[in-house]
Amino acid sequence: MGFTSANIQYLIWPAMLILLALFFFIDIQLGPIAVPLGQAISYGLSSGSGTETDAVHWLIFSEIRLPRALLAVLVGFVLGCAGASLQGLLRNPLAGPGLVGVTNCAALGAVCTLYFGWAGLVWFALPLGGIIGACISVLLIFLLAGRQGSVLNLILAGVAINAVASSFIALALNFSDNPYAMNEIVYWLLGSLSNRSLNDVAIVAPFMFVGVAILLSRGAYLDALSLGEDTAQTLGFNPVLERTFIVLAVAMSVGAAVSISGSIGFIGLVVPHLFRPMVDYQPGKLLLISGVGGSVLLLLADICVQLISVNQELKLGVVTSLVGGPFFLWMIYRMRNEIQ
């Protein structure tokens, strides 16, 4: 008896949840210092009742390793879900937060808050800058590629948006006379989850949760849209309103993610392609599994970063690009007849 599509759908969820828990457990244990999790957590739950060594272990766990693993889960989920949403909305398998410029523009918005010193004025300046940058990029996509834009138009629009955003980021680097600000800008270019605390997680998590909740609620519209915009409208959906919801949700969630992690590319492009056949190519069903898949993939990438790096940590965005770049080239090669 062979595996049917229905069987695969039933099996994929337990497998992904097991991988998510396993990689999360591995990620919170990695580091230059061995930390006994049981003792560290017991110290935290007992409100400081323990030895000085237990206190150090709890500090490492709660302020370094736990925030890093949580951010890998949250950022990966956002990028995977946003990628699936954009591919469903534009009805284009090459759409993704990085390819169409959302990630780069969100990074530019965050860089502007750092360059002009706004990030130190109010707590929400950094995520707000990322959200505004992401929102501008999505609006530019519709202006340049159009609602029914072809694959070629989408790629050209994405290249143009990425080029403009990259040039402004380079301009900020060129005129930055503050070494600290320059290092922070480079951080956004390379992408990383290190040196973040639970306070940082608390700042961006609400924006991510709201954005993802909106995207997941639009699954029925994406399913209807796959049959054509006229069909979706006949089924009672307002295309303009639905499109606005998705655009704002992608901008909010991806902007918040990039403002805390920097530019981490290709997660939103690769993950939906891996799971699309497993959900019978239904855009609505693809959203949640792509989010979980994004979390699993980013946790795995972060584990590889910490295992590979010895003296100086390899940046997470570099690893995802090394994996996603060849995958994207393979997709272009496979679809070469469609984009001529």
Side-chain angles (χ1 to χ4, degrees):
M1 178 175 145
F3 282 102
T4 65
S5 177
N7 291 334
I8 293 176
Q9 289 186 40
Y10 282 118
L11 292 174
I12 190 64
W13 275 109
M16 293 306 299
L17 293 176
I18 290 172
L19 286 175
L20 180 64
L22 177 63
F23 290 159
F24 185 85
F25 180 73
I26 295 173
D27 201 32
I28 60 177
Q29 294 193 87
L30 293 178
I33 300 175
V35 174
L37 293 181
Q39 295 180 22
I41 295 174
S42 297
Y43 177 87
L45 295 176
S46 63
S47 302
S49 176
T51 65
E52 187 174 332
T53 302
D54 292 335
V56 173
H57 288 162
W58 168 250
L59 187 64
I60 293 173
F61 171 74
S62 62
E63 293 298 324
I64 298 176
R65 297 186 183 177
L66 182 60
R68 181 172 187 149
L70 287 175
L71 281 176
V73 173
L74 292 174
V75 173
F77 195 101
V78 163
L79 295 179
C81 188
S85 300
L86 285 175
Q87 290 177 15
L89 177 65
L90 298 174
R91 283 171 282 173
N92 198 309
L94 295 180
L99 179 65
V100 297
V102 176
T103 302
N104 234 16
C105 285
L108 174 61
V111 163
C112 288
T113 64
L114 292 168
Y115 181 81
F116 293 107
W118 299 333
L121 298 179
V122 289
W123 66 270
F124 56 83
L126 198 57
L128 183 61
I131 291 169
I132 292 174
C135 190
I136 291 173
S137 71
V138 178
L139 293 176
L140 287 175
I141 291 168
F142 284 110
L143 290 176
L144 295 176
R147 295 185 306 172
Q148 306 293 337
S150 65
V151 175
L152 181 59
N153 287 340
L154 178 67
I155 293 175
L156 292 176
V159 169
I161 293 170
N162 275 316
V164 172
S166 297
S167 65
F168 278 110
I169 292 175
L171 190 66
L173 275 170
N174 188 79
F175 286 104
S176 178
D177 55 358
N178 186 336
Y180 173 76
M182 183 176 292
N183 288 335
E184 284 292 305
I185 293 173
V186 172
Y187 166 83
W188 298 115
L189 292 175
L190 298 179
S192 177
L193 299 175
S194 61
N195 301 322
R196 292 304 178 203
S197 67
L198 288 176
N199 290 333
D200 296 312
V201 177
I203 288 174
V204 298
F207 296 99
M208 294 186 189
F209 285 138
V210 172
V212 166
I214 295 174
L215 291 178
L216 294 178
S217 69
R218 310 266 70 86
Y221 169 69
L222 293 178
D223 284 337
L225 186 63
S226 66
L227 303 175
E229 190 165 310
D230 292 337
T231 302
Q233 194 165 2
T234 303
L235 293 174
F237 294 101
N238 184 333
V240 175
L241 185 61
E242 295 292 338
R243 207 160 40 236
T244 302
F245 275 130
I246 294 175
V247 166
L248 292 178
V250 168
M252 180 182 298
S253 56
V254 173
V258 172
S259 70
I260 200 68
S261 68
S263 298
I264 298 178
F266 292 103
I267 296 290
L269 176 67
V270 172
V271 172
H273 280 276
L274 297 178
F275 293 100
R276 186 172 284 110
M278 303 179 189
V279 294
D280 290 334
Y281 298 88
Q282 297 182 41
K285 289 184 177 180
L286 186 62
L287 297 178
L288 187 57
I289 192 63
S290 292
V292 176
S295 297
V296 170
L297 186 58
L298 200 56
L299 278 170
L300 179 60
D302 193 47
I303 291 171
C304 293
V305 162
Q306 298 186 70
L307 291 177
I308 294 172
S309 303
V310 180
N311 297 323
Q312 186 174 4
E313 183 176 300
L314 182 66
K315 297 302 181 184
L316 192 57
V318 177
V319 174
T320 58
S321 295
L322 287 173
V323 175
F327 182 87
F328 178 60
L329 291 175
W330 172 76
M331 284 179 54
I332 293 292
Y333 176 77
R334 194 183 66 171
M335 300 178 62
R336 61 192 183 279
N337 294 328
E338 299 178 22
I339 62 178
Q340 289 178 351

